[in-house]
Amino acid sequence: MKLNKISTIYFSPTNTTKTIVEAIANVFSSEINTYDITFDRTKKVENFKEDELLIIGMPVYGGRIPYLVQEFVKNLKANNTLCIPVVVYGNRDYEDALLELSDYLEEGGFKIVSAGAFIGEHSFGAEIAGGRPNDDDLNIAKDFALKSKQKIQNINSVNDFEKINIPGNHPYKESASATIEWEPETLDNCNDCGSCKDVCPMGIIDKGNPKLITDISKCIHCCACVKVCPQNAKVMTSEMYNKFKEFKGFLMLTCSEVQKQPELFM
Ligand SMILES: Cc1cc2nc3c(=O)[nH]c(=O)nc-3n(C[C@H](O)[C@H](O)[C@H](O)COP(=O)(O)O)c2cc1C
Ligand code: SF4
Ligand code: SF4
């Protein structure tokens, strides 16, 4: 089968999902139609056609895809368009996220060629899966893309694809990340450089005064502002800090020792 257009969609506050999606897409073509929905989940996306391929990546939040992007993904419409869904998780587990993403895509009319769960440095700190995806992860992603490409080349019609078994449960686990109560705060050594406001997917860091979070109830705890701060002045601290510290300690104990490997489904 010949492809006439390759598109990518990703939501990626700390860039690990973007890195994996790009590594896969670049094996298919150097001309990619990209929808980065990190800062705008209302972007208009044209309906996808039969001779196209979509590579779509989402981070795992609480074993699901982030609640913030669910409607966007559910609204994607395709006409037997080929699709490669991937999720990127912080070395704990991806639970129902890949199944959820794949289900929404199939309901929208996509045909799944292959799917993958990759590992990225945990949003909550480099102590967990620091530096991932690393070179090995990227080589695995490229090899996965090559095999997916061969699979597409070897078929004549989208109807020749068999349904892929993707792990996960129905009903999906309850999404807990929407109820996290930690919040980023700014320490006195902030020098007002403004980097944090530029990376906040929710646009809630005040443009004139980046020490200020305008609407904390919208924070998705992605930690993009914490990771980007050159002064280490944006931190997850608050009355809830001890809860965050305890949870991070639990993650470091349970998720940092064994480096998990990507799981691929064809
Ligand atoms: C609110 C929240 C919940 C998360 N839940 C999980 C999880 O359930 N399992 C896991 O392994 N990693 C989890 N992570 C870590 C991210 O999936 C991981 O760091 C991912 O690489 C972030 O993607 P990004 O760089 O594209 O933002 C969570 C991160 C956040 C912010
Ligand atoms: S304020 Fe919240 S949503 Fe915005 S970058 Fe920081 S952690 Fe993410
Ligand atoms: S990135 Fe850090 S130093 Fe710069 S404005 Fe934000 S909190 Fe302040």
Side-chain angles (χ1 to χ4, degrees):
M1 228 184 111
K2 196 174 169 310
L3 295 170
N4 282 327
K5 193 168 167 190
I6 317 287
S7 299
T8 57
I9 294 179
Y10 52 80
F11 173 77
S12 188
T14 59
N15 290 324
T16 61
T17 308
K18 175 183 178 185
T19 304
I20 289 293
V21 168
E22 284 180 346
I24 295 169
N26 290 339
V27 170
F28 281 90
S29 173
S30 53
E31 274 178 47
I32 311 282
N33 178 41
T34 300
Y35 298 98
D36 176 355
I37 60 161
T38 309
F39 300 99
D40 181 4
R41 280 78 52 193
T42 58
K43 261 192 183 144
K44 275 261 162 284
V45 178
E46 280 175 44
N47 287 358
F48 292 93
K49 303 197 182 80
E50 196 165 341
D51 54 357
E52 298 180 18
L53 171 71
L54 171 67
I55 300 149
I56 179 167
M58 294 295 154
V60 176
Y61 282 11
R64 302 275 305 271
I65 66 169
Y67 65 92
L68 189 70
V69 298
Q70 285 171 11
E71 278 314 301
F72 177 91
V73 179
K74 282 181 186 171
N75 285 332
L76 292 173
K77 290 286 167 274
N79 177 14
N80 274 333
T81 309
L82 301 183
C83 179
I84 303 179
V86 296
V87 292
V88 180
Y89 69 102
N91 209 51
R92 187 186 70 75
D93 200 351
Y94 59 96
E95 290 162 316
D96 302 334
L98 188 58
L99 180 67
E100 180 186 15
L101 178 60
S102 306
D103 284 347
Y104 297 156
L105 293 164
E106 284 183 331
E107 282 157 22
F110 290 90
K111 285 270 177 191
I112 294 178
V113 177
S114 54
F118 290 83
I119 295 89
E121 177 174 307
H122 204 290
S123 317
F124 297 161
E127 299 91 336
I128 311 153
R132 295 187 76 182
N134 55 24
D135 287 349
D136 289 345
D137 293 316
L138 293 179
N139 285 333
I140 292 171
K142 285 177 203 162
D143 189 55
F144 167 67
L146 263 178
K147 290 194 172 109
S148 303
K149 195 173 174 182
Q150 281 158 5
K151 188 173 174 186
I152 295 169
Q153 280 164 351
N154 289 341
I155 59 125
N156 296 319
S157 147
V158 285
N159 297 322
D160 296 347
F161 282 113
E162 282 174 24
K163 190 168 166 60
I164 294 172
N165 274 332
I166 292 170
N169 303 291
H170 293 118
Y172 313 128
K173 72 172 284 195
E174 211 155 293
S175 181
S177 48
T179 58
I180 296 178
E181 289 164 305
W182 323 311
E183 28 188 273
E185 279 186 6
T186 312
L187 304 179
D188 289 345
N189 57 328
C190 163
N191 63 7
D192 290 326
C193 72
S195 303
C196 53
K197 73 169 170 28
D198 296 335
V199 298
C200 176
M202 306 308 289
I204 54 172
I205 299 180
D206 193 82
K207 299 219 167 358
N209 175 11
K211 292 185 178 75
L212 195 76
I213 307 238
T214 53
D215 185 352
I216 196 65
S217 68
K218 289 192 177 148
C219 177
I220 56 165
H221 316 99
C222 66
C223 296
C225 57
V226 174
K227 286 196 172 184
V228 82
C229 178
Q231 305 293 326
N232 295 324
K234 210 50 116 197
V235 288
M236 280 288 175
T237 178
S238 73
E239 285 166 33
M240 309 308 286
Y241 180 53
N242 285 338
K243 269 199 186 173
F244 175 67
K245 229 165 80 176
E246 270 169 36
F247 186 60
K248 189 168 164 181
F250 160 78
L251 280 180
M252 281 161 62
L253 271 176
T254 54
C255 309
S256 63
E257 231 166 61
V258 176
Q259 290 289 314
K260 298 204 169 161
Q261 293 307 312
E263 287 175 52
L264 309 170
F265 307 93
M266 290 250 175

